[in-house]
Amino acid sequence: MALHRDPKWPRASEWLAGLRFPQTTHRLGLLGLPLGTGSVSPGRCDLAPEAIRTALQRFSTYDVEADRDLRAIALHDHGDLALGTLSPEDAFEPIRDAVKTALEASGALACFGGNNAITRPAMHGLGNLERCGLLTLDAHFDLRDTGPGMLNGNPVRALLEDGLPGDRIVQIGIQAFVNSAEYAAIAREAGIHVVPMGVVKAQGLVPLVEAALERLAQRCDHLYVDVDLDTLDRAFSPGTPGSRPGGFLPWELQQAVRRCGAHPKVRVVDFVELDPPLDLADTTALGAAMAFLSFATGLLERA
């Protein structure tokens, strides 16, 4: 069924297709990274970029809370990288190089995964890891052993082994009973700043994200934000196999990601772990699309 067309209600999907104001103030890139292999819970995360793009049809370009219109951003959709059935190891260089190229044309880049294994190569696209910082909004540490190979459960461990200093990693939203004591010990030993969900509930997600961004900005030239959609409460993220009750509410995630978009050192954000066949009423895809739009609103707040 065709959606109603109203020239006074421009859709976010039209912005994706090139609709913009004659004069734009910011540039944003979009890159689909449909990696589906190497998942702890095998599924079809490779279908996620298309699902999120489709969900954008249900939103407009106007953020009434910020009184900003995303048509002020020159958005360039680079399409989906052809990854096919490549393993995370074989997809490393194509993803790294595609992110690096896309960043050359934009002030910031949003990546639609794919599973969380894209985070390692995409962060390498920023350049020298010693000059970069990582903020994860995730229920999990993603510190599983790398011996069996690259997985969606070990990108942070792999980045540590690649040379990313642990004190340049902040993980917010780590949940009870979905992690292990062994991996918590690795996080402590590496110097990762971990903010469990209980602290988030007590202090609020937005202040903690703002503090994390400033903490990392003092140490780093460029920041990468990894948004694992399983950080949302299970009721709002049925399309992610790792989500559980007790996670973020959608409005909390939207506000947090908007703050990330506003920070001048954030160069890349990814949205990962959506498995469309598991989704109910497009709930997770819609949440991912709105989080992406919120990041874009934040971008408009940059000088």
Side-chain angles (χ1 to χ4, degrees), residues 155-196:
V156 177
R157 180 73 167 270
L159 284 165
L160 286 172
E161 295 174 357
D162 291 340
L164 178 64
D167 66 355
R168 298 188 180 186
I169 303 173
V170 178
Q171 298 191 286
I172 299 179
I174 301 299
Q175 291 192 33
F177 306 114
V178 298
N179 294 283
S180 73
E182 287 81 358
Y183 294 135
I186 290 173
R188 286 193 299 271
E189 292 166 4
I192 296 173
H193 184 63
V194 176
V195 183

Side-chain angles (χ1 to χ4, degrees), residues 35 37-38 81-97 117 120-121 149-150:
L35 184 67
T37 59
L81 191 63
L83 297 175
T85 58
L86 289 180
S87 68
E89 289 87 352
D90 291 337
F92 178 88
E93 289 189 5
I95 292 174
R96 179 199 63 194
D97 295 346
R120 179 197 178 214
M150 295 300 102

Side-chain angles (χ1 to χ4, degrees), residues 218-251:
Q218 292 173 8
R219 297 168 167 82
C220 311
D221 295 334
H222 308 298
L223 304 183
Y224 187 109
V225 179
D226 166 36
V227 181
D228 187 330
L229 295 166
D230 71 19
T231 195
L232 287 165
D233 187 274
R234 183 75 176 176
F236 304 103
S237 192
T240 56
S243 63
R244 298 292 183 268
F248 300 149
L249 299 178
W251 67 266

